[in-house]
Amino acid sequence: MSSPPLAPYPGLHEEVARRADGLWEVACALHANPETAFAEHRATALLTDHLRRAGFEVSRNVADLPTAFTAVAGRGRPAVALLLEYDALPGLGHACGHNLIAAAGLGAALVVNALRHGTEGSVMAVGTPAEEGGGGKALEVQAGVFDDVDAALMFHPGVYDWVRAPLTAQEQYRVAFWGRAAHPTGDPTRGIDALAALIELFNVLSALGRRLPQGSHVQGIITHGGTATNVVPDLAEGRFGLRAATTAALDDLAARLHASAEGVAHATGTSFEVERAGVRYEHFRDSQVLSDRFADHLSRSGITLTPPGPGVYLGSSDIGNVSARVPAIHPFVAIMDSDGSDHTPEFATAAASEPARRVLTAVVEALAGTALDVLRDADLRTRAWNRHAARSGT
């Protein structure tokens, strides 16, 4: 990382301080009214109202998603996108802290717009629904939302202060086996047990799991296993979640799942089908150039970001799909101690705590500073794009 820390932009700290209370109110309002994937209607209305009143040109129903939006100030390139997540977890509320992600992205966009006068280009706030299930960012990438963007910036609250996110690729698959129904006592030789085939697939995948590379695993559940104990099941279905350290490794793992199901079907006399269920999340490709710049800005608040622990993976996110398209950052900033965990009631409480409020203010300033750097520093953009191009396909 750069040393010493970068000098702050004139007026940046004051502009953030002026907005701090209002941004905390937004974070708390989202926290008090959690909405799950693709149902974030109140969150979308709240965030777009703030952006519209600040002079942003707001577009709703982006990528044909009713709770997705973009809000743009300025025109053309260079262009920097601030990403806002705002979906909550069923039954747990904002136990992943997306209320803070939304408030931080909103705040950074507002601050950049207030300070960008005389700067060419544009700043865009992107509302990205359904990160926890549904892949709003992946669908926005497919719809071309990021086609004319030079950098995508966001942060994630966590239990570590890490400069980048070790996030794997993941996708879900539905696997079905068809057999033949029969009475298990009266006509046992006629039956072809689809459930037995599905259970055998679990056994094969368990053996496979012992020799998968680091970061890869398969986790499955039975979603349909028959209708009665006195009928040989003629249909059995399972859902399998696949994760891998890279998108290429995920493709390999998916091919192994298909081959395993095919082998089981051949051995058991069943027929089978394997189909993707939902949107694929690609692995996250960190823009080190921009992540280091964010860490420099954040260090002025007294928060030091370090590289993630070796061999540690923290899950998957659709930010991976964005990072395959443009230089992107996704640092973690702690709002509770490292013995905690997100996706817990304790983390939901932490997402509306005083430590979270301090982190929000610090992160808004760092995101805004990084975004202004992207708009004003042509050399920074060139280095970020060159590194991005060098990692293309990895």
Short mmCIF file of all heavy atoms in Angstrom, two decimals, residues 171-178 194-202 204-205 218-225 234-242 253-265 268 270-278:
data_model
loop_
_atom_site.label_atom_id
_atom_site.label_comp_id
_atom_site.label_asym_id
_atom_site.label_seq_id
_atom_site.Cartn_x
_atom_site.Cartn_y
_atom_site.Cartn_z
N GLU A 171 -22.80 -21.66 -7.75
CA GLU A 171 -24.05 -21.81 -8.47
C GLU A 171 -24.82 -22.98 -7.88
O GLU A 171 -24.28 -23.83 -7.17
CB GLU A 171 -23.83 -22.00 -9.97
CG GLU A 171 -22.98 -23.19 -10.34
CD GLU A 171 -22.60 -23.18 -11.83
OE1 GLU A 171 -23.23 -22.45 -12.60
OE2 GLU A 171 -21.67 -23.90 -12.21
N GLN A 172 -26.11 -23.01 -8.17
CA GLN A 172 -27.01 -24.04 -7.67
C GLN A 172 -27.47 -24.91 -8.84
O GLN A 172 -27.69 -24.42 -9.95
CB GLN A 172 -28.23 -23.40 -7.02
CG GLN A 172 -27.92 -22.45 -5.87
CD GLN A 172 -27.82 -23.16 -4.55
OE1 GLN A 172 -28.57 -24.10 -4.27
NE2 GLN A 172 -26.89 -22.71 -3.72
N TYR A 173 -27.63 -26.20 -8.55
CA TYR A 173 -28.14 -27.13 -9.56
C TYR A 173 -29.28 -27.97 -8.99
O TYR A 173 -29.25 -28.37 -7.83
CB TYR A 173 -27.03 -28.07 -10.06
CG TYR A 173 -26.13 -27.42 -11.09
CD1 TYR A 173 -25.00 -26.72 -10.71
CD2 TYR A 173 -26.44 -27.50 -12.45
CE1 TYR A 173 -24.18 -26.11 -11.65
CE2 TYR A 173 -25.63 -26.91 -13.39
CZ TYR A 173 -24.51 -26.21 -12.99
OH TYR A 173 -23.71 -25.60 -13.92
N ARG A 174 -30.26 -28.21 -9.85
CA ARG A 174 -31.32 -29.17 -9.55
C ARG A 174 -30.98 -30.46 -10.26
O ARG A 174 -30.66 -30.47 -11.45
CB ARG A 174 -32.66 -28.65 -10.04
CG ARG A 174 -33.79 -29.68 -10.03
CD ARG A 174 -35.04 -29.13 -10.70
NE ARG A 174 -35.98 -30.20 -11.03
CZ ARG A 174 -35.98 -30.87 -12.17
NH1 ARG A 174 -35.09 -30.58 -13.12
NH2 ARG A 174 -36.87 -31.83 -12.38
N VAL A 175 -31.03 -31.57 -9.52
CA VAL A 175 -30.80 -32.90 -10.10
C VAL A 175 -32.03 -33.76 -9.84
O VAL A 175 -32.51 -33.84 -8.71
CB VAL A 175 -29.56 -33.58 -9.48
CG1 VAL A 175 -29.35 -34.95 -10.11
CG2 VAL A 175 -28.32 -32.72 -9.69
N ALA A 176 -32.55 -34.35 -10.89
CA ALA A 176 -33.73 -35.21 -10.79
C ALA A 176 -33.41 -36.59 -11.35
O ALA A 176 -32.69 -36.71 -12.35
CB ALA A 176 -34.90 -34.60 -11.54
N PHE A 177 -33.93 -37.62 -10.68
CA PHE A 177 -33.88 -38.99 -11.18
C PHE A 177 -35.30 -39.50 -11.34
O PHE A 177 -36.16 -39.26 -10.48
CB PHE A 177 -33.11 -39.91 -10.22
CG PHE A 177 -31.63 -39.66 -10.18
CD1 PHE A 177 -31.08 -38.86 -9.18
CD2 PHE A 177 -30.79 -40.21 -11.12
CE1 PHE A 177 -29.72 -38.63 -9.13
CE2 PHE A 177 -29.41 -39.98 -11.09
CZ PHE A 177 -28.88 -39.18 -10.09
N TRP A 178 -35.54 -40.21 -12.45
CA TRP A 178 -36.83 -40.84 -12.69
C TRP A 178 -36.64 -42.36 -12.72
O TRP A 178 -35.73 -42.88 -13.38
CB TRP A 178 -37.43 -40.40 -14.02
CG TRP A 178 -37.95 -39.00 -13.99
CD1 TRP A 178 -39.19 -38.58 -13.61
CD2 TRP A 178 -37.24 -37.83 -14.40
NE1 TRP A 178 -39.29 -37.22 -13.73
CE2 TRP A 178 -38.12 -36.73 -14.21
CE3 TRP A 178 -35.95 -37.59 -14.88
CZ2 TRP A 178 -37.75 -35.42 -14.50
CZ3 TRP A 178 -35.58 -36.29 -15.17
CH2 TRP A 178 -36.48 -35.22 -14.98
N ALA A 194 -36.00 -44.24 -7.63
CA ALA A 194 -35.34 -42.97 -7.94
C ALA A 194 -34.66 -42.38 -6.72
O ALA A 194 -33.60 -41.75 -6.83
CB ALA A 194 -36.36 -41.98 -8.50
N LEU A 195 -35.25 -42.58 -5.54
CA LEU A 195 -34.65 -42.05 -4.32
C LEU A 195 -33.31 -42.74 -4.04
O LEU A 195 -32.35 -42.08 -3.62
CB LEU A 195 -35.59 -42.22 -3.14
CG LEU A 195 -35.06 -41.74 -1.78
CD1 LEU A 195 -34.71 -40.26 -1.82
CD2 LEU A 195 -36.09 -42.02 -0.69
N ALA A 196 -33.25 -44.04 -4.26
CA ALA A 196 -31.98 -44.74 -4.06
C ALA A 196 -30.90 -44.18 -4.98
O ALA A 196 -29.73 -44.07 -4.59
CB ALA A 196 -32.17 -46.24 -4.31
N ALA A 197 -31.30 -43.82 -6.19
CA ALA A 197 -30.33 -43.22 -7.12
C ALA A 197 -29.83 -41.89 -6.58
O ALA A 197 -28.62 -41.59 -6.62
CB ALA A 197 -30.96 -43.06 -8.49
N LEU A 198 -30.75 -41.06 -6.08
CA LEU A 198 -30.33 -39.76 -5.54
C LEU A 198 -29.41 -39.94 -4.34
O LEU A 198 -28.41 -39.23 -4.21
CB LEU A 198 -31.56 -38.95 -5.17
CG LEU A 198 -31.30 -37.55 -4.60
CD1 LEU A 198 -30.54 -36.69 -5.60
CD2 LEU A 198 -32.62 -36.88 -4.21
N ILE A 199 -29.75 -40.89 -3.47
CA ILE A 199 -28.89 -41.13 -2.31
C ILE A 199 -27.51 -41.61 -2.75
O ILE A 199 -26.48 -41.23 -2.17
CB ILE A 199 -29.56 -42.14 -1.36
CG1 ILE A 199 -30.79 -41.50 -0.70
CG2 ILE A 199 -28.58 -42.64 -0.30
CD1 ILE A 199 -31.63 -42.46 0.10
N GLU A 200 -27.46 -42.42 -3.78
CA GLU A 200 -26.17 -42.88 -4.29
C GLU A 200 -25.35 -41.71 -4.84
O GLU A 200 -24.13 -41.68 -4.71
CB GLU A 200 -26.36 -43.94 -5.37
CG GLU A 200 -25.06 -44.59 -5.84
CD GLU A 200 -24.28 -45.24 -4.69
OE1 GLU A 200 -24.91 -45.74 -3.72
OE2 GLU A 200 -23.03 -45.23 -4.75
N LEU A 201 -26.04 -40.73 -5.45
CA LEU A 201 -25.32 -39.54 -5.93
C LEU A 201 -24.68 -38.81 -4.75
O LEU A 201 -23.54 -38.35 -4.86
CB LEU A 201 -26.27 -38.61 -6.67
CG LEU A 201 -25.66 -37.30 -7.16
CD1 LEU A 201 -24.52 -37.56 -8.15
CD2 LEU A 201 -26.72 -36.41 -7.81
N PHE A 202 -25.39 -38.71 -3.63
CA PHE A 202 -24.79 -38.10 -2.44
C PHE A 202 -23.53 -38.85 -2.02
O PHE A 202 -22.52 -38.24 -1.66
CB PHE A 202 -25.79 -38.08 -1.28
CG PHE A 202 -26.73 -36.91 -1.29
CD1 PHE A 202 -27.92 -36.97 -1.99
CD2 PHE A 202 -26.43 -35.74 -0.61
CE1 PHE A 202 -28.80 -35.90 -2.01
CE2 PHE A 202 -27.29 -34.66 -0.62
CZ PHE A 202 -28.49 -34.73 -1.32
N VAL A 204 -21.51 -40.66 -3.94
CA VAL A 204 -20.46 -40.40 -4.93
C VAL A 204 -19.85 -39.02 -4.70
O VAL A 204 -18.62 -38.85 -4.72
CB VAL A 204 -21.02 -40.52 -6.36
CG1 VAL A 204 -20.00 -40.03 -7.38
CG2 VAL A 204 -21.41 -41.95 -6.66
N LEU A 205 -20.70 -38.03 -4.46
CA LEU A 205 -20.19 -36.68 -4.26
C LEU A 205 -19.42 -36.55 -2.96
O LEU A 205 -18.47 -35.77 -2.85
CB LEU A 205 -21.36 -35.68 -4.28
CG LEU A 205 -22.07 -35.54 -5.62
CD1 LEU A 205 -23.28 -34.61 -5.48
CD2 LEU A 205 -21.13 -35.01 -6.70
N VAL A 218 -19.23 -29.24 -2.52
CA VAL A 218 -20.61 -29.45 -2.95
C VAL A 218 -21.45 -29.71 -1.71
O VAL A 218 -21.08 -30.55 -0.87
CB VAL A 218 -20.74 -30.65 -3.91
CG1 VAL A 218 -22.20 -30.83 -4.34
CG2 VAL A 218 -19.84 -30.47 -5.13
N GLN A 219 -22.56 -29.00 -1.58
CA GLN A 219 -23.48 -29.22 -0.47
C GLN A 219 -24.87 -29.45 -1.05
O GLN A 219 -25.35 -28.64 -1.84
CB GLN A 219 -23.51 -28.02 0.47
CG GLN A 219 -24.44 -28.16 1.66
CD GLN A 219 -23.96 -29.22 2.64
OE1 GLN A 219 -22.76 -29.35 2.87
NE2 GLN A 219 -24.89 -29.98 3.19
N GLY A 220 -25.51 -30.57 -0.69
CA GLY A 220 -26.79 -30.88 -1.28
C GLY A 220 -27.88 -31.17 -0.27
O GLY A 220 -27.62 -31.50 0.89
N ILE A 221 -29.12 -31.01 -0.71
CA ILE A 221 -30.29 -31.38 0.09
C ILE A 221 -31.26 -32.14 -0.81
O ILE A 221 -31.25 -32.00 -2.03
CB ILE A 221 -31.01 -30.15 0.69
CG1 ILE A 221 -31.50 -29.20 -0.42
CG2 ILE A 221 -30.12 -29.42 1.68
CD1 ILE A 221 -32.40 -28.09 0.07
N ILE A 222 -32.10 -32.97 -0.20
CA ILE A 222 -33.16 -33.66 -0.92
C ILE A 222 -34.41 -32.78 -0.87
O ILE A 222 -34.88 -32.41 0.20
CB ILE A 222 -33.46 -35.04 -0.30
CG1 ILE A 222 -32.25 -35.97 -0.47
CG2 ILE A 222 -34.70 -35.67 -0.94
CD1 ILE A 222 -32.39 -37.31 0.23
N THR A 223 -34.92 -32.43 -2.03
CA THR A 223 -36.12 -31.59 -2.09
C THR A 223 -37.38 -32.39 -2.38
O THR A 223 -38.48 -31.92 -2.14
CB THR A 223 -35.95 -30.50 -3.16
OG1 THR A 223 -35.64 -31.12 -4.42
CG2 THR A 223 -34.81 -29.55 -2.77
N HIS A 224 -37.22 -33.59 -2.92
CA HIS A 224 -38.36 -34.49 -3.12
C HIS A 224 -37.84 -35.92 -3.08
O HIS A 224 -36.92 -36.25 -3.84
CB HIS A 224 -39.07 -34.22 -4.44
CG HIS A 224 -40.24 -35.13 -4.67
ND1 HIS A 224 -41.47 -34.95 -4.05
CD2 HIS A 224 -40.39 -36.24 -5.44
CE1 HIS A 224 -42.31 -35.89 -4.42
NE2 HIS A 224 -41.68 -36.68 -5.27
N GLY A 225 -38.45 -36.74 -2.22
CA GLY A 225 -37.96 -38.10 -2.09
C GLY A 225 -39.02 -39.17 -2.18
O GLY A 225 -38.77 -40.32 -1.82
N ASP A 234 -40.82 -42.99 -7.84
CA ASP A 234 -40.47 -42.91 -9.27
C ASP A 234 -39.85 -41.56 -9.63
O ASP A 234 -39.43 -41.35 -10.76
CB ASP A 234 -41.69 -43.17 -10.14
CG ASP A 234 -42.81 -42.15 -9.92
OD1 ASP A 234 -42.71 -41.35 -8.96
OD2 ASP A 234 -43.78 -42.16 -10.70
N LEU A 235 -39.78 -40.64 -8.66
CA LEU A 235 -39.13 -39.36 -8.88
C LEU A 235 -38.45 -38.93 -7.59
O LEU A 235 -39.05 -39.00 -6.51
CB LEU A 235 -40.15 -38.28 -9.29
CG LEU A 235 -39.66 -36.83 -9.30
CD1 LEU A 235 -38.55 -36.64 -10.33
CD2 LEU A 235 -40.80 -35.86 -9.55
N ALA A 236 -37.21 -38.51 -7.71
CA ALA A 236 -36.48 -37.93 -6.57
C ALA A 236 -35.69 -36.74 -7.09
O ALA A 236 -35.12 -36.79 -8.19
CB ALA A 236 -35.55 -38.96 -5.93
N GLU A 237 -35.68 -35.68 -6.30
CA GLU A 237 -34.99 -34.46 -6.71
C GLU A 237 -34.12 -33.93 -5.57
O GLU A 237 -34.49 -34.04 -4.39
CB GLU A 237 -35.98 -33.37 -7.12
CG GLU A 237 -36.76 -33.69 -8.37
CD GLU A 237 -37.70 -32.56 -8.76
OE1 GLU A 237 -38.31 -31.95 -7.86
OE2 GLU A 237 -37.82 -32.30 -9.97
N GLY A 238 -33.01 -33.38 -5.94
CA GLY A 238 -32.12 -32.74 -4.98
C GLY A 238 -31.66 -31.40 -5.50
O GLY A 238 -31.73 -31.13 -6.72
N ARG A 239 -31.21 -30.56 -4.60
CA ARG A 239 -30.63 -29.27 -4.96
C ARG A 239 -29.21 -29.23 -4.42
O ARG A 239 -29.00 -29.53 -3.23
CB ARG A 239 -31.46 -28.11 -4.41
CG ARG A 239 -31.04 -26.74 -4.95
CD ARG A 239 -31.95 -25.65 -4.40
NE ARG A 239 -31.62 -24.34 -4.92
CZ ARG A 239 -32.25 -23.73 -5.89
NH1 ARG A 239 -33.29 -24.33 -6.48
NH2 ARG A 239 -31.90 -22.53 -6.30
N PHE A 240 -28.27 -28.85 -5.26
CA PHE A 240 -26.87 -28.90 -4.89
C PHE A 240 -26.23 -27.53 -5.10
O PHE A 240 -26.36 -26.93 -6.17
CB PHE A 240 -26.13 -29.95 -5.74
CG PHE A 240 -26.59 -31.35 -5.47
CD1 PHE A 240 -27.70 -31.86 -6.14
CD2 PHE A 240 -25.96 -32.13 -4.52
CE1 PHE A 240 -28.14 -33.15 -5.88
CE2 PHE A 240 -26.39 -33.42 -4.26
CZ PHE A 240 -27.50 -33.94 -4.93
N GLY A 241 -25.58 -27.05 -4.05
CA GLY A 241 -24.82 -25.81 -4.13
C GLY A 241 -23.36 -26.12 -4.38
O GLY A 241 -22.74 -26.88 -3.62
N LEU A 242 -22.79 -25.57 -5.43
CA LEU A 242 -21.39 -25.78 -5.79
C LEU A 242 -20.62 -24.49 -5.56
O LEU A 242 -21.09 -23.41 -5.92
CB LEU A 242 -21.26 -26.19 -7.26
CG LEU A 242 -21.57 -27.63 -7.67
CD1 LEU A 242 -23.00 -28.01 -7.35
CD2 LEU A 242 -21.30 -27.82 -9.17
N LEU A 253 -16.21 -28.35 -11.63
CA LEU A 253 -17.00 -29.03 -10.61
C LEU A 253 -18.40 -29.34 -11.12
O LEU A 253 -18.95 -30.42 -10.85
CB LEU A 253 -17.07 -28.15 -9.36
CG LEU A 253 -17.71 -28.76 -8.11
CD1 LEU A 253 -17.03 -30.06 -7.72
CD2 LEU A 253 -17.65 -27.76 -6.96
N ALA A 254 -18.99 -28.43 -11.88
CA ALA A 254 -20.30 -28.67 -12.46
C ALA A 254 -20.26 -29.85 -13.43
O ALA A 254 -21.19 -30.67 -13.49
CB ALA A 254 -20.81 -27.42 -13.17
N ALA A 255 -19.18 -29.95 -14.20
CA ALA A 255 -19.03 -31.08 -15.12
C ALA A 255 -18.92 -32.39 -14.35
O ALA A 255 -19.47 -33.43 -14.77
CB ALA A 255 -17.80 -30.88 -16.00
N ARG A 256 -18.25 -32.36 -13.20
CA ARG A 256 -18.15 -33.57 -12.37
C ARG A 256 -19.51 -33.96 -11.79
O ARG A 256 -19.83 -35.16 -11.68
CB ARG A 256 -17.15 -33.36 -11.24
CG ARG A 256 -15.71 -33.16 -11.71
CD ARG A 256 -14.77 -33.17 -10.53
NE ARG A 256 -13.42 -32.79 -10.90
CZ ARG A 256 -12.34 -33.18 -10.22
NH1 ARG A 256 -12.47 -33.95 -9.16
NH2 ARG A 256 -11.15 -32.79 -10.60
N LEU A 257 -20.31 -32.97 -11.40
CA LEU A 257 -21.65 -33.28 -10.91
C LEU A 257 -22.47 -33.96 -11.99
O LEU A 257 -23.14 -34.98 -11.74
CB LEU A 257 -22.33 -31.98 -10.47
CG LEU A 257 -23.82 -32.10 -10.10
CD1 LEU A 257 -24.00 -32.94 -8.85
CD2 LEU A 257 -24.45 -30.72 -9.92
N HIS A 258 -22.41 -33.43 -13.20
CA HIS A 258 -23.16 -34.03 -14.31
C HIS A 258 -22.67 -35.45 -14.60
O HIS A 258 -23.49 -36.37 -14.78
CB HIS A 258 -23.03 -33.16 -15.56
CG HIS A 258 -23.98 -33.53 -16.65
ND1 HIS A 258 -23.77 -34.61 -17.50
CD2 HIS A 258 -25.16 -32.97 -17.04
CE1 HIS A 258 -24.76 -34.70 -18.35
NE2 HIS A 258 -25.62 -33.72 -18.10
N ALA A 259 -21.36 -35.63 -14.61
CA ALA A 259 -20.82 -36.97 -14.88
C ALA A 259 -21.20 -37.95 -13.78
O ALA A 259 -21.50 -39.12 -14.06
CB ALA A 259 -19.30 -36.88 -15.03
N SER A 260 -21.20 -37.49 -12.54
CA SER A 260 -21.58 -38.36 -11.42
C SER A 260 -23.03 -38.77 -11.53
O SER A 260 -23.38 -39.95 -11.33
CB SER A 260 -21.33 -37.64 -10.09
OG SER A 260 -19.96 -37.33 -9.91
N ALA A 261 -23.92 -37.82 -11.84
CA ALA A 261 -25.33 -38.14 -11.98
C ALA A 261 -25.56 -39.11 -13.14
O ALA A 261 -26.37 -40.05 -13.04
CB ALA A 261 -26.14 -36.86 -12.20
N GLU A 262 -24.83 -38.90 -14.23
CA GLU A 262 -24.96 -39.80 -15.38
C GLU A 262 -24.52 -41.21 -15.03
O GLU A 262 -25.18 -42.20 -15.39
CB GLU A 262 -24.14 -39.26 -16.55
CG GLU A 262 -24.27 -40.07 -17.82
CD GLU A 262 -23.48 -39.45 -18.96
OE1 GLU A 262 -22.48 -38.75 -18.70
OE2 GLU A 262 -23.88 -39.66 -20.12
N GLY A 263 -23.41 -41.33 -14.28
CA GLY A 263 -22.93 -42.64 -13.88
C GLY A 263 -23.91 -43.35 -12.95
O GLY A 263 -24.16 -44.56 -13.09
N VAL A 264 -24.47 -42.61 -12.01
CA VAL A 264 -25.45 -43.20 -11.09
C VAL A 264 -26.69 -43.66 -11.86
O VAL A 264 -27.22 -44.75 -11.61
CB VAL A 264 -25.82 -42.18 -10.00
CG1 VAL A 264 -27.06 -42.63 -9.24
CG2 VAL A 264 -24.66 -41.98 -9.04
N ALA A 265 -27.15 -42.85 -12.79
CA ALA A 265 -28.32 -43.22 -13.57
C ALA A 265 -28.08 -44.50 -14.37
O ALA A 265 -28.94 -45.39 -14.44
CB ALA A 265 -28.71 -42.07 -14.51
N THR A 268 -28.11 -47.50 -11.95
CA THR A 268 -29.37 -47.80 -11.25
C THR A 268 -30.55 -47.99 -12.20
O THR A 268 -31.66 -48.29 -11.75
CB THR A 268 -29.71 -46.68 -10.26
OG1 THR A 268 -29.80 -45.43 -10.96
CG2 THR A 268 -28.66 -46.59 -9.17
N THR A 270 -32.04 -45.69 -13.91
CA THR A 270 -32.91 -44.51 -13.90
C THR A 270 -32.55 -43.58 -15.06
O THR A 270 -31.51 -43.74 -15.70
CB THR A 270 -32.76 -43.73 -12.58
OG1 THR A 270 -31.38 -43.38 -12.39
CG2 THR A 270 -33.23 -44.57 -11.40
N SER A 271 -33.39 -42.60 -15.29
CA SER A 271 -33.03 -41.49 -16.15
C SER A 271 -32.81 -40.27 -15.27
O SER A 271 -33.26 -40.24 -14.12
CB SER A 271 -34.11 -41.23 -17.20
OG SER A 271 -35.36 -40.97 -16.57
N PHE A 272 -32.14 -39.26 -15.80
CA PHE A 272 -31.76 -38.14 -14.94
C PHE A 272 -31.77 -36.84 -15.71
O PHE A 272 -31.79 -36.81 -16.95
CB PHE A 272 -30.37 -38.37 -14.35
CG PHE A 272 -29.25 -38.06 -15.30
CD1 PHE A 272 -28.51 -36.89 -15.19
CD2 PHE A 272 -28.94 -38.93 -16.35
CE1 PHE A 272 -27.48 -36.58 -16.08
CE2 PHE A 272 -27.91 -38.65 -17.24
CZ PHE A 272 -27.18 -37.47 -17.11
N GLU A 273 -31.76 -35.75 -14.95
CA GLU A 273 -31.64 -34.41 -15.51
C GLU A 273 -30.87 -33.55 -14.53
O GLU A 273 -31.11 -33.60 -13.32
CB GLU A 273 -33.02 -33.80 -15.75
CG GLU A 273 -32.98 -32.40 -16.36
CD GLU A 273 -34.36 -31.84 -16.58
OE1 GLU A 273 -35.08 -31.58 -15.58
OE2 GLU A 273 -34.72 -31.65 -17.76
N VAL A 274 -29.93 -32.76 -15.05
CA VAL A 274 -29.18 -31.79 -14.26
C VAL A 274 -29.39 -30.42 -14.90
O VAL A 274 -29.12 -30.26 -16.10
CB VAL A 274 -27.68 -32.12 -14.22
CG1 VAL A 274 -26.91 -31.06 -13.43
CG2 VAL A 274 -27.45 -33.50 -13.62
N GLU A 275 -29.90 -29.46 -14.14
CA GLU A 275 -30.10 -28.13 -14.69
C GLU A 275 -29.74 -27.08 -13.65
O GLU A 275 -29.95 -27.27 -12.45
CB GLU A 275 -31.55 -27.93 -15.14
CG GLU A 275 -32.58 -27.99 -14.04
CD GLU A 275 -33.98 -27.69 -14.56
OE1 GLU A 275 -34.13 -27.51 -15.78
OE2 GLU A 275 -34.91 -27.63 -13.72
N ARG A 276 -29.15 -25.99 -14.13
CA ARG A 276 -28.80 -24.89 -13.23
C ARG A 276 -30.07 -24.27 -12.66
O ARG A 276 -31.06 -24.09 -13.37
CB ARG A 276 -27.98 -23.84 -13.97
CG ARG A 276 -27.49 -22.71 -13.06
CD ARG A 276 -26.77 -21.63 -13.84
NE ARG A 276 -25.51 -22.10 -14.38
CZ ARG A 276 -24.82 -21.44 -15.32
NH1 ARG A 276 -25.30 -20.33 -15.82
NH2 ARG A 276 -23.68 -21.91 -15.74
N ALA A 277 -30.02 -23.93 -11.38
CA ALA A 277 -31.16 -23.32 -10.70
C ALA A 277 -30.73 -21.95 -10.17
O ALA A 277 -30.05 -21.86 -9.15
CB ALA A 277 -31.65 -24.22 -9.56
N GLY A 278 -31.08 -20.90 -10.89
CA GLY A 278 -30.71 -19.57 -10.45
C GLY A 278 -29.49 -19.03 -11.18
O GLY A 278 -29.00 -19.61 -12.15
#
